[in-house]
Amino acid sequence: MKQAYITDLDHTFLRSDLTLSDFTIETWNSKAQYTTLSVATARSYKKAIQFLTPLHINAPMVLLDGAMIVTPEKKIIDLKLLNREVGDAVIDEGAKFGIFPVIISLEDDQLNEAFVYPSIRNTHQDRLIERYLGDDNLMEQKSSRAREKNLKLVYMGEEKLLRQLDEHFKTVFGDSLEFKLGPEAYLGCYYLTVLHPLADKAHGLQTVSEYVGIATDRMSVFGDSTNDLGMFELAGQAIAVQNAIEEVKLAANIILPHTNDEDAVAKYLETIL
């Protein structure tokens, strides 16, 4: 019976230096010849494909926490966008806390994205932007306003502030939006992502399931952080890497003995396939 294996990227499949080992690449591509393999990530198409070019991916990718489902050939399967009015409402509520988001938006049908950052920033946001310097889609916006097709709004900051902001957003917007709060391991701070209410990895996994004709209970997923919990609940097998946060380990069926820096996903695939 057909099975599928879907992995998160950062701190799960990618090593901490944002590379893939030759062992991981070789193992993945050998297994992709006879089973379904793909990814579910908070990254955009532009950022994900930078790492995935050496890999054979044979199912749609869940991108931007589920806001976009797209094939490696750029065929859009599903989009969950925030319109300008909703985006501006979120920005105005966040401004009451003195913080403004980075906005990732879809600019055209060729999957070109804008990475829009505010002129009023904290040190964590400055460090985030430094990692993207040189990208041709980086844009500073003096008056923080939403775009036409917003994929997600991302706040970076101290845990206390973002927890307060998360609670405020949920009070104001209820379940009309999806909020993802968690630690940001690369920058040593917290993130709060605001998305369409159906933009999450669980809905993304369901969409992929229907597209490839493999039931979710025949899917195994790998993850490390809070934004993986939705697909952990839906998939038949939820697998945490050794470096996953405790909440994710508690939700997992399997906790791997290896970390992302030790080729955890590839070693598991080599063992069971």
Side-chain angles (χ1 to χ4, degrees):
M1 187 177 291
K2 288 184 178 180
Q3 290 188 317
Y5 298 84
I6 313 292
T7 183
D8 171 56
L9 286 183
D10 292 275
H11 305 293
T12 300
F13 190 58
L14 291 175
R15 295 187 292 193
S16 297
D17 63 358
L18 300 179
T19 63
L20 295 170
S21 71
D22 290 340
F23 171 77
T24 285
I25 294 170
E26 293 167 5
T27 300
W28 177 282
N29 288 341
S30 68
K31 306 307 179 185
Q33 296 178 38
Y34 54 86
T35 196
T36 301
L37 298 175
S38 192
V39 301
T41 177
R43 289 183 178 271
S44 67
Y45 181 87
K46 179 183 178 71
K47 284 298 178 184
I49 211 68
Q50 291 177 356
F51 306 108
L52 302 178
T53 300
L55 302 177
H56 179 52
I57 295 173
N58 51 24
M61 300 178 290
V62 179
L63 302 176
L64 295 155
D65 289 312
M68 177 186 291
I69 316 299
V70 63
T71 68
E73 299 77 29
K74 291 190 174 184
K75 178 184 177 181
I76 296 175
I77 307 302
D78 193 25
L79 278 177
K80 295 289 186 281
L81 300 172
L82 297 175
N83 63 37
R84 190 187 298 272
E85 181 181 3
V86 171
D88 282 342
V90 171
I91 291 169
D92 289 341
E93 292 299 325
K96 296 176 182 178
F97 290 74
I99 189 168
F100 297 89
V102 166
I103 302 168
I104 300 175
S105 65
L106 185 65
E107 298 297 293
D108 57 39
D109 293 338
Q110 297 303 308
L111 304 190
N112 288 310
E113 310 141 357
F115 187 97
V116 182
Y117 61 92
S119 57
I120 301 174
R121 302 184 295 276
N122 57 40
T123 56
H124 304 296
Q125 290 169 317
D126 283 337
R127 289 167 58 200
L128 174 69
I129 292 162
E130 287 175 4
R131 295 172 58 195
Y132 289 86
L133 289 178
D135 284 8
D136 56 9
N137 63 339
L138 197 63
M139 301 168 53
E140 182 175 13
Q141 191 178 62
K142 292 184 178 179
S143 176
S144 190
R145 294 286 85 189
R147 309 284 285 182
E148 185 66 29
K149 297 180 179 180
N150 305 283
L151 290 158
K152 67 178 182 178
L153 281 62
V154 185
Y155 293 85
M156 313 292 296
E158 297 298 328
E159 178 181 1
K160 182 179 179 180
L161 174 62
L162 291 194
R163 287 197 181 278
Q164 292 173 345
L165 186 60
D166 183 44
E167 291 177 6
H168 178 72
F169 281 159
K170 288 175 179 175
T171 299
V172 173
F173 298 105
D175 58 5
S176 66
L177 293 171
E178 176 76 13
F179 304 101
K180 302 288 188 187
L181 175 69
E184 214 302 318
Y186 291 126
L187 300 177
C189 63
Y190 263 63
Y191 68 84
L192 175 59
T193 303
V194 184
L195 301 136
H196 184 283
L198 300 181
D200 58 59
K201 289 187 180 182
H203 285 92
L205 195 69
Q206 183 64 53
T207 300
V208 173
S209 167
E210 294 168 2
Y211 187 86
V212 300
I214 300 175
T216 55
D217 63 3
R218 302 296 300 173
M219 290 184 161
S220 297
V221 298
F222 303 84
D224 75 291
S225 192
T226 51
N227 66 341
D228 299 314
L229 290 173
M231 67 177 184
F232 267 40
E233 294 176 3
L234 186 62
Q237 195 84 275
I239 306 168
V241 291
Q242 183 58 224
N243 55 289
I245 64 172
E246 193 61 28
E247 186 178 0
V248 172
K249 288 182 177 179
L250 290 173
N253 304 120
I254 297 173
I255 301 173
L256 299 179
H258 302 105
T259 70
N260 63 311
D261 288 319
E262 299 169 320
D263 299 314
V265 173
K267 286 178 178 176
Y268 180 81
L269 293 176
E270 182 184 48
T271 300
I272 58 95
L273 289 178

